[in-house]
Amino acid sequence: MKPIVAIVGRPNVGKSTLFNRITRSRDAIVDNMPGVTRDRHYGDAAWDGVDFTLVDTGGFVGEDQDCFAPEIRFQILQAIEDSDVVVLLLDGKGGISPFDEDIVKILREVAKPVFYVVNKIDALEQEVKLYEYYSLGLEKLYPLSAEHRYGVSDFLDDLVRVLPPTDAAESDDMVKLAVVGKPNVGKSSLINRILGQKRLVVSEIPGTTRDAIDSAVKIDGKSYLLIDTAGIRRKKKVSKKIEKFSIIKALKSLERCDVALIVIDAFEGVTEQDVNIAGYAYERGCGCILLLNKWDIVEKDSKTEKKYRDQLRMEAKFISFAPAMTISALTGQRVAKIFKMVDEVYNQYTRRIGTGQINRIMERAMERNEPSLYRGRRLKIYYFAQVSTRPPTFVCFVNYPEGVHFSYKRYLANQIRAGAGLDKTPLRIIFRKRTGRGR
């Protein structure tokens, strides 16, 4: 495992900007509004050939400043405990605050390297602003500007010198799972239940999670990466700029996952927005599992589960391949079974079908149901070939690609599902005109 470096500090000192600068990304949401980052956020970084993991944390504030303050403080302390090196970021423009003094007292008790960094120092002549911070009894201060790169190289040179050696390289075979859904459906609670620890901030106030958060876990010897995301609201309900960024990040998390765990509040019932979110996952070609959460508080009889499944199939026909499960993140009901289903979906999602097998399936399909005429001419399907996985993608060479009706495309897809055992994964068929030969 790579060494872990945690960035801590009060709100609005530039932690996320420094995170983005070091990771050379825009993974952390940056906004002038204090309290933007609430959960711990992880990113890969490298300097001078040394790889490490950087953690962006929520702003350290008093309980009267933010209703999430106790939870944020818990996350910061957890990040400090989990890290190998701590970076306290201070504000070179704003000066010392009582929160700086509080966190310095905490860090004095930490038995690991701590770097005290003063941000928003843009040039040599501005380094006079460091003197105020020496009053905190700090021996070494690093002046820098996360926004303009001033002093960042010198700081990173010293940082990588104290990092512990990197452990053996981790396997890249980790199955990536994005946990998505509306606000307050239990996404973070589900991940906490899986991890068995209070890894993410959990609150009944919608919108608690604003970044996409990654957590690694091993289940029965297999590695999974759980990506918790901000709740996706309907567009007309997205008013604050920060929540707009969160939605973008949630959608991007679908682009980098293998399987989307779409969490639905069963107590509230299946809503239009649940279907919209499933549509986002479908458009991005993710494997999908529909999780009906809070099943423990649903009034039910022997037909209740079937009614829910029928409703899902009716309102989200496009994702009829996706398995559905009833769970309770609160009690743990059936949570352990999620990963058996994940493995089934992932195995299909990454499966490659031989050209001979796929063409035999298609020959039988066309014998049962011939392609229709197009402009008075019979459509000819020459052969199929799988060109990629994640999801399984096939190219069909045909004389008139534009003449293949959508209903026949659906028929062929269903035949592939049945014949190749791909009933739980999305799949794509690309129709191309065969060139270089007579029709």
Side-chain angles (χ1 to χ4, degrees):
M1 186 175 176
K2 298 175 185 176
I4 296 175
V5 178
I7 304 174
V8 299
R10 59 187 170 89
N12 228 24
V13 296
K15 296 185 299 299
S16 295
T17 303
L18 182 60
F19 176 94
N20 289 343
R21 173 66 63 195
I22 296 174
T23 59
R24 300 179 183 181
S25 70
R26 294 190 64 83
D27 280 349
I29 299 173
V30 180
D31 195 281
N32 290 329
M33 183 177 67
V36 169
T37 305
R38 283 181 173 156
D39 286 300
R40 285 174 284 155
H41 188 93
Y42 289 70
D44 291 326
W47 184 258
D48 198 22
V50 179
D51 295 327
F52 57 97
T53 297
L54 197 63
V55 186
D56 184 26
T57 65
F60 191 87
V61 296
E63 294 188 11
D64 58 337
Q65 300 290 113
D66 188 326
C67 62
F68 290 102
E71 290 280 13
I72 293 172
R73 281 186 175 230
F74 171 83
Q75 296 299 321
I76 293 170
L77 295 175
Q78 188 69 42
I80 291 172
E81 183 179 338
D82 291 345
S83 65
D84 298 294
V85 176
V86 181
V87 176
L88 172 59
L89 198 62
L90 303 161
D91 189 340
K93 289 186 178 178
I96 295 175
S97 84
F99 304 122
D100 295 330
E101 296 175 359
D102 290 344
I103 199 166
V104 166
K105 289 178 182 177
I106 293 172
L107 292 175
R108 289 190 194 283
E109 306 299 320
V110 173
K112 59 186 65 175
V114 178
F115 286 79
Y116 298 94
V117 178
V118 182
N119 190 27
K120 305 179 185 179
I121 305 294
D122 300 334
L124 181 64
E125 59 269 19
Q126 293 186 15
E127 292 189 14
V128 294
K129 297 177 181 178
L130 296 180
Y131 299 149
E132 178 182 3
Y133 284 98
Y134 282 113
S135 66
L136 295 175
L138 305 176
E139 295 182 5
K140 174 73 173 175
L141 292 170
Y142 290 85
L144 60 77
S145 170
E147 186 171 356
H148 300 111
R149 300 185 183 182
Y150 178 81
V152 173
S153 297
D154 292 339
F155 159 63
L156 289 176
D157 286 343
D158 285 356
L159 174 67
V160 296
R161 288 192 188 103
V162 303
L163 294 178
T166 303
D167 292 344
E170 296 178 332
S171 171
D172 291 329
D173 296 334
M174 211 177 259
V175 181
K176 299 178 182 64
L177 308 175
V179 184
V180 297
K182 297 184 305 181
N184 209 30
V185 294
K187 300 183 297 298
S188 296
S189 296
L190 175 60
I191 292 183
N192 286 342
R193 169 64 62 175
I194 291 169
L195 296 176
Q197 59 173 305
K198 223 180 167 186
R199 165 65 177 78
L200 303 175
V201 173
V202 180
S203 168
E204 293 181 358
I205 301 174
T208 305
T209 302
R210 287 175 173 170
D211 275 317
I213 313 299
D214 294 357
S215 302
V217 64
K218 273 197 173 183
I219 306 289
D220 295 330
K222 294 181 181 179
S223 296
Y224 303 88
L225 189 71
L226 296 166
I227 308 165
D228 185 35
T229 61
I232 305 174
R233 299 176 185 269
R234 285 181 294 171
K235 286 184 180 178
K236 67 181 182 180
K237 289 196 173 182
V238 180
S239 55
K240 294 182 180 179
K241 180 175 66 172
I242 184 60
E243 193 164 1
K244 292 180 182 177
F245 284 126
S246 297
I247 291 173
I248 292 169
K249 293 179 66 59
L251 296 179
K252 284 185 176 180
S253 72
L254 290 171
E255 293 175 355
R256 68 186 183 96
C257 79
D258 299 308
V259 180
L261 303 180
I262 304 168
V263 184
I264 298 169
D265 186 336
F267 183 73
E268 181 184 354
V270 181
T271 67
E272 180 184 357
Q273 183 62 354
D274 294 320
V275 177
N276 289 340
I277 292 166
Y280 294 143
Y282 176 75
E283 289 169 359
R284 284 155 180 77
C286 305
C288 298
I289 299 175
L290 302 165
L291 300 177
L292 292 159
N293 191 28
K294 307 184 184 181
W295 195 247
D296 55 311
I297 58 174
V298 173
E299 291 186 14
K300 47 192 172 287
D301 56 32
S302 59
K303 298 180 180 179
T304 304
E305 185 172 345
K306 183 179 183 302
K307 288 178 181 177
Y308 273 87
R309 291 177 183 271
D310 289 345
Q311 185 184 359
L312 282 171
R313 298 299 173 236
M314 180 62 65
E315 298 186 13
K317 293 179 181 178
F318 57 87
I319 205 168
S320 59
F321 60 84
M325 296 178 60
T326 56
I327 65 164
S328 170
L330 181 65
T331 67
Q333 182 183 22
R334 280 184 287 277
V335 169
K337 295 182 179 180
I338 292 173
F339 288 89
K340 181 180 179 182
M341 186 61 70
V342 165
D343 291 342
E344 288 184 34
V345 171
Y346 181 74
N347 288 338
Q348 293 188 19
Y349 187 68
T350 57
R351 186 174 301 169
R352 188 170 287 278
I353 309 300
T355 301
Q357 181 184 355
I358 192 66
N359 281 286
R360 286 191 295 271
I361 293 170
M362 289 296 97
E363 285 171 8
R364 291 192 293 268
M366 288 182 286
E367 287 173 2
R368 286 190 291 268
N369 184 3
E370 266 192 333
S372 61
L373 295 175
Y374 176 66
R375 294 180 178 177
R377 296 189 179 187
R378 177 68 63 185
L379 282 172
K380 292 183 181 180
I381 294 178
Y382 299 105
Y383 65 95
F384 276 75
Q386 185 174 357
V387 293
S388 65
T389 60
R390 302 172 187 254
T393 302
F394 303 87
V395 170
C396 171
F397 291 92
V398 62
N399 55 349
Y400 298 111
E402 69 279 11
V404 185
H405 194 268
F406 77 87
S407 61
Y408 199 73
K409 293 178 181 179
R410 186 172 57 201
Y411 167 73
L412 294 177
N414 289 336
Q415 293 303 302
I416 294 174
R417 291 186 185 283
L422 299 176
D423 60 315
K424 293 184 177 67
T425 179
L427 58 84
R428 293 171 175 162
I429 303 178
I430 301 167
F431 292 86
R432 287 183 183 165
K433 187 178 184 67
R434 189 173 74 162
T435 58
R437 295 186 184 182
R439 295 174 184 169

